[in-house]
Amino acid sequence: MTAEYQVDGAVAVITLNNPPVNGLGLSTRRGIVDGLNKALADAAVKAVVITGAGKAFSGGADITEFGKEEAYREPHLISVIQQLDLSGKPTVAAIHTVCMGGGLELALGCNYRVAAPGTAVALPEVKLGLLPGAGGTQRLPRVLGVEAALNMIVSGEAVKSEMLAAIPGQTLFDKMASSAETLLAEAKAFALEVADRRPLPRVRDLPCKHPQGEAYFQFARTMVQGMSKNFPAPVRCVDAVQNATTKKFDDGMALERETFMQLMMTPESRSLRHLFMAERAASKIADVPSDTPVREIRTVGVIGAGTMGGGISMNFLNAGIPVTILETKQEALDRGVATIRKNYEAQVKKGKLKQEKYEERMALLSTTLSYGDLKNADLIIEAVFEELGVKEQVFKQLDEVAKPGAILASNTSTLDVDKIAAFTQRPQDVVGMHFFSPANVMKLLEVVRGKETAKDVLATVMKIAKKIKKTAVVSGVCDGFIGNRMIEQYSRQAGFLLDEGATPQQVDKAIEKFGFAMGPFRMGDLAGNDIGWAIRKRRAVEKPDMKYSGTADRLCELGRFGQKTGAGWYDYQAGKRDAIPSKLVEEMIEQYRKDKGITPRKISDEEIVQRLVFALVNEGAHILEDGIAGKSGDIDMVYLTGYGFPVWRGGPMHYAGEVGLFNVVQAMNRFARNPHDDAKFWQPAPLLAKLAAEGKQFS
């Protein structure tokens, strides 16, 4: 059992003990019921206290059971709570540290609740595309008030126990303990105080009304619909809480459960649950054990004070880690520091950062023009121009000055990390840390593992990524790693669509309607079209048989590099980012078609979306085969956190499974017959073809 039973005088204590957050798995649920039965059968026991061992009361469902038989076996959490409801002896929940999801629902099933200060309390199910399924929508409004409860349920965000205790009229907590350390003793004392009180109070018996009734819920429903148009769960949460105010408790519970089961079957919930699991799995590397020793990172050096270097530095400053930025010229250093200050000052002005925090962070920043000043850094990250010769100069100098055991990282987005490591006498200490722009905002960090990168280096970088609040995904060495290797195929398809009859705005609108944050042509204008131009020039030498649309090269020959030049695939007005369709670009594309003898045709939005997204899927399958990514979920995390793939679709590999891999392969076969496309590319990757034939998915 993962729930322990002890008797202290007249009080029985049931302690959930299922690390790390006392998830309510089958063994734990059985343990609670067994403990309760023992307490009820013992005449000496007058009251029962339920608490959690370690650093949580309970974080809710046991995620290790997701998709397994145990999750569906009795006793379900609803059954456990029903036993608490029917108990003839008072039950007291002693809540501390973390009380979320099913953990909070369990506490609400008790007669009384004693909470330690600082406890994070939440019903976060909406973040998985669900609503609370064990009475949360019916009980929380009864003890907290309808509006406060609905806000918690719809947002899924955690609230500290002392803030909830301060809500006028709340009955969520019967007592606030002095501290987490004294919680159990205070809860047992409270249990003895209430041991003889009858009738036993039950949350289900409390009234639940809102003074504005239907008008309030209609207002709430309208607000929620506007903020969560791609997610069905938040609106269903409003409906469920309204049921608590208009229906008998058991009827409201039945409707809550029915809605929970309906939401479980939605593609949005499947996608969000996949994201939840994939994010946690991304930090696990198959051949790097979780107990691998890590190197201590107390100070960081950053080479380059440009946009990337400054953004990278801010991540570490935000985490309280001192940073030294190196540049070749004082003016470049001054510009870089000024940009960092400007970014922080904007946060202060918006109220997102306190002045004293801003000053603390800037105090951790130092600058230098000498490599020698990086001799004591534990981690050094280069963020210089994306050219192998420049990287060579940097890493040879780092090899001379960095202390033994220092981790040397490159922020390269496409270059060969093994070649970079070979510039040093310590390739085991070299790793790729590919931040995404703006580096102080974007969550994704591609951790590129070289053939000689040491396991403790990988473990250290994954740990420090968590500290600076990044989602780290491990990639092997190849041109473009995971994200940029895939985006090249996506961009090639966008170019072919122009050749065949689409316009930049039609392509962008179609994929943005699908849910991407930005279409390929707006993305090119933002990043700089000259970047892609440089890659295509390199490809012409390295892979002369690789086919591209010529429209992008013609665009660059016109000097239209994007927003930075005020003109790209779109026109831009000074000081604005609005993409205005360009007559000149339209004429350029038409002329290109004539030159190539292509008769334009009408292209549907469906074809646009399929060609762009399935291009990602096919290349992703090759990446899995090549061992560049360890798991399909890693690829999805890259695209969800770094490339604006719609969250509610779960990432390209998960989405392919939702469509059906058989259907994906059939569509690819159609695209291969298109004379203006790349038939060779649309040959399904062997892994994709195999899974489709077997009726399986990537994950």
Side-chain angles (χ1 to χ4, degrees):
M1 295 292 183
T2 52
E4 299 163 356
Y5 180 82
Q6 289 181 316
V7 176
D8 183 3
V11 178
V13 179
I14 299 171
T15 304
L16 314 182
N17 192 0
N18 184 16
V21 294
N22 298 321
L24 296 169
L26 177 61
S27 177
T28 308
R29 301 194 301 271
R30 285 177 173 169
I32 296 169
V33 173
D34 287 353
L36 186 61
N37 287 336
K38 287 178 184 176
L40 294 175
D42 188 344
V45 171
K46 302 298 182 185
V48 180
V49 170
I50 301 177
T51 192
K55 297 182 178 180
F57 171 73
S58 174
D62 187 340
I63 64 171
T64 64
E65 287 189 356
F66 278 19
K68 297 180 181 177
E69 182 187 349
E70 290 91 332
Y72 304 100
R73 289 170 63 184
E74 286 281 16
H76 299 144
L77 182 56
I78 290 177
S79 301
V80 175
I81 294 170
Q82 188 174 34
Q83 296 309 304
L84 294 172
D85 260 344
L86 297 172
S87 170
K89 297 179 180 181
T91 53
V92 179
I95 301 165
H96 67 91
T97 321
V98 173
C99 181
M100 296 186 182
L104 178 54
E105 290 174 308
L106 177 70
L108 290 168
C110 293
N111 302 115
Y112 302 97
R113 286 153 297 282
V114 178
T119 302
V121 182
L123 288 173
E125 287 84 353
V126 73
K127 295 185 176 183
L128 298 180
L130 301 169
L131 51 62
T137 66
Q138 303 305 295
R139 286 188 173 90
L140 191 62
R142 285 174 157 82
V143 296
L144 204 57
V146 169
E147 293 191 22
L150 183 59
N151 287 340
M152 282 185 66
I153 293 167
V154 167
S155 72
E157 296 298 329
V159 183
K160 292 298 183 185
S161 51
E162 51 267 45
M163 292 182 65
L164 295 174
I167 295 175
Q170 70 84 24
T171 54
L172 172 59
F173 302 130
D174 298 277
K175 176 181 173 63
M176 287 296 293
S178 301
S179 67
E181 290 73 26
T182 62
L183 171 67
L184 185 56
E186 292 186 60
K188 287 192 283 189
F190 179 82
L192 289 174
E193 284 179 31
V194 301
D196 297 323
R197 292 183 193 173
R198 295 296 183 276
L200 293 175
R202 300 191 305 175
V203 172
R204 62 174 290 150
D205 298 329
L206 296 174
C208 186
K209 294 292 179 186
H210 190 281
Q212 277 78 51
E214 176 64 34
Y216 166 74
F217 284 105
Q218 189 53 52
F219 168 76
R221 196 171 285 107
T222 301
M223 291 292 291
V224 168
Q225 282 174 332
M227 297 172 66
S228 58
K229 61 182 180 178
N230 295 304
F231 300 95
V235 172
R236 302 302 296 275
C237 289
V238 177
D239 296 340
V241 173
Q242 184 173 14
N243 288 339
T245 70
T246 60
K247 299 186 183 300
K248 292 179 180 178
F249 181 83
D250 287 335
D251 293 340
M253 284 289 295
L255 288 167
E256 177 193 82
R257 192 63 188 171
E258 181 182 332
T259 304
F260 178 87
M261 297 307 294
Q262 290 171 354
L263 288 170
M264 279 281 287
M265 302 306 294
T266 61
E268 293 84 3
S269 179
R270 288 196 295 267
S271 295
L272 290 172
R273 297 196 314 266
H274 167 69
L275 168 59
F276 179 84
M277 299 300 289
E279 186 168 13
R280 281 146 187 80
S283 63
K284 297 175 174 62
I285 309 169
D287 64 335
V288 180
S290 58
D291 59 353
T292 300
V294 297
R295 305 184 188 184
E296 192 172 359
I297 304 298
R298 291 159 300 191
T299 61
V300 173
V302 175
I303 300 177
T307 302
M308 288 305 298
I312 291 168
S313 299
M314 288 179 70
N315 289 300
F316 293 97
L317 298 175
N318 295 347
I321 299 172
V323 175
T324 300
I325 300 181
L326 179 145
E327 259 293 356
T328 55
K329 295 182 180 178
Q330 187 63 45
E331 311 90 81
L333 273 178
D334 294 342
R335 279 196 306 272
V337 172
T339 300
I340 292 173
R341 285 191 179 279
K342 183 181 176 182
N343 288 337
Y344 279 138
E345 286 166 0
Q347 292 179 30
V348 172
K349 191 174 181 180
K350 292 175 183 176
K352 294 181 178 180
L353 183 69
K354 292 183 178 179
Q355 180 68 29
E356 54 268 32
K357 278 286 183 186
Y358 160 44
E359 291 169 1
E360 283 175 19
R361 291 175 185 182
M362 290 306 299
L364 294 170
L365 179 64
S366 57
T367 61
T368 184
L369 298 174
S370 169
Y371 274 84
D373 289 334
L374 301 180
K375 64 183 179 182
N376 294 319
D378 301 300
L379 167 65
I380 305 173
I381 305 170
E382 67 79 11
V384 301
F385 187 68
E386 189 74 343
E387 203 277 317
L388 197 61
V390 178
K391 309 283 190 189
E392 180 178 5
Q393 294 174 21
V394 168
F395 275 84
K396 283 183 174 178
Q397 291 184 78
L398 287 180
D399 197 32
E400 292 178 7
V401 302
K403 68 181 182 180
I407 295 174
L408 309 182
S410 173
N411 181 52
T412 179
S413 58
T414 57
L415 298 178
D416 189 328
V417 170
D418 290 329
K419 288 182 179 178
I420 292 172
F423 298 141
T424 75
Q425 300 301 309
R426 48 174 110 180
Q428 73 280 0
D429 294 333
V430 178
V431 67
M433 291 181 70
H434 177 210
F435 290 81
F436 285 68
S437 185
N440 55 307
V441 175
M442 296 293 285
K443 281 188 67 177
L444 178 62
L445 174 65
E446 274 186 321
V447 177
V448 186
R449 180 182 193 171
K451 64 183 178 183
E452 294 191 56
T453 303
K455 290 183 179 180
D456 67 329
V457 169
L458 275 176
T460 303
V461 171
M462 297 302 280
K463 182 179 179 181
I464 200 72
K466 190 174 290 186
K467 186 167 186 177
I468 63 174
K469 298 181 179 178
K470 296 296 183 190
T471 299
V473 176
V474 175
S475 169
V477 175
C478 69
D479 197 331
F481 315 131
I482 296 172
N484 284 341
R485 174 171 160 178
M486 289 169 65
I487 208 71
E488 183 171 13
Q489 302 301 336
Y490 171 92
S491 298
R492 283 208 307 146
Q493 281 302 311
F496 296 151
L497 286 163
L498 293 190
D499 294 353
E500 296 169 42
T503 63
Q505 51 268 35
Q506 183 195 358
V507 174
D508 283 349
K509 284 179 181 177
I511 201 69
E512 287 164 13
K513 186 177 179 182
F514 174 80
F516 269 77
M518 189 176 291
F521 297 106
R522 287 179 60 213
M523 181 181 70
D525 279 358
L526 178 63
N529 295 311
D530 50 329
I531 295 173
W533 196 23
I535 291 171
R536 290 189 299 278
K537 288 176 179 176
R538 181 156 59 92
R539 289 283 182 271
V541 176
E542 298 171 351
K543 299 180 180 179
D545 59 338
M546 197 164 182
K547 181 180 177 182
Y548 291 90
S549 164
T551 54
D553 289 351
R554 291 196 182 188
L555 186 82
C556 291
E557 287 162 4
L558 294 171
R560 297 178 67 95
F561 297 151
Q563 291 185 15
K564 60 188 175 185
T565 58
W569 293 105
Y570 297 92
D571 292 331
Y572 298 90
Q573 294 178 351
K576 295 183 180 180
R577 291 180 178 267
D578 298 332
I580 303 166
S582 169
K583 185 68 175 173
L584 189 150
V585 169
E586 185 181 320
E587 292 171 351
M588 179 270 289
I589 294 170
E590 288 175 356
Q591 185 59 51
Y592 177 80
R593 291 174 189 148
K594 289 177 183 176
D595 293 346
K596 294 294 180 180
I598 300 172
T599 302
R601 64 181 175 89
K602 185 175 178 60
I603 300 176
S604 69
D605 287 358
E606 180 184 26
E607 181 183 342
I608 290 170
V609 168
Q610 287 188 344
R611 286 173 65 176
L612 294 180
V613 175
F614 294 170
L616 295 175
V617 172
N618 201 35
E619 192 63 23
H622 284 300
I623 283 171
L624 287 170
E625 288 170 347
D626 295 345
I628 300 302
K631 305 176 286 293
S632 64
D634 290 351
I635 294 174
D636 287 334
M637 288 310 304
V638 166
Y639 268 79
L640 290 164
T641 58
Y643 290 85
F645 198 96
V647 170
W648 64 93
R649 299 193 189 276
M653 311 312 280
H654 175 81
Y655 175 72
E658 288 287 322
V659 172
L661 298 192
F662 172 84
N663 296 323
V664 172
V665 168
Q666 294 307 307
M668 290 169 58
N669 290 337
R670 290 197 306 274
F671 302 151
R673 293 193 289 270
N674 179 351
H676 303 300
D677 206 326
D678 184 347
K680 184 179 178 182
F681 170 74
W682 285 122
Q683 182 70 31
L687 174 62
L688 173 56
K690 178 176 180 291
L691 292 174
E694 295 172 352
K696 295 180 180 179
Q697 299 184 9
F698 287 108
S699 59

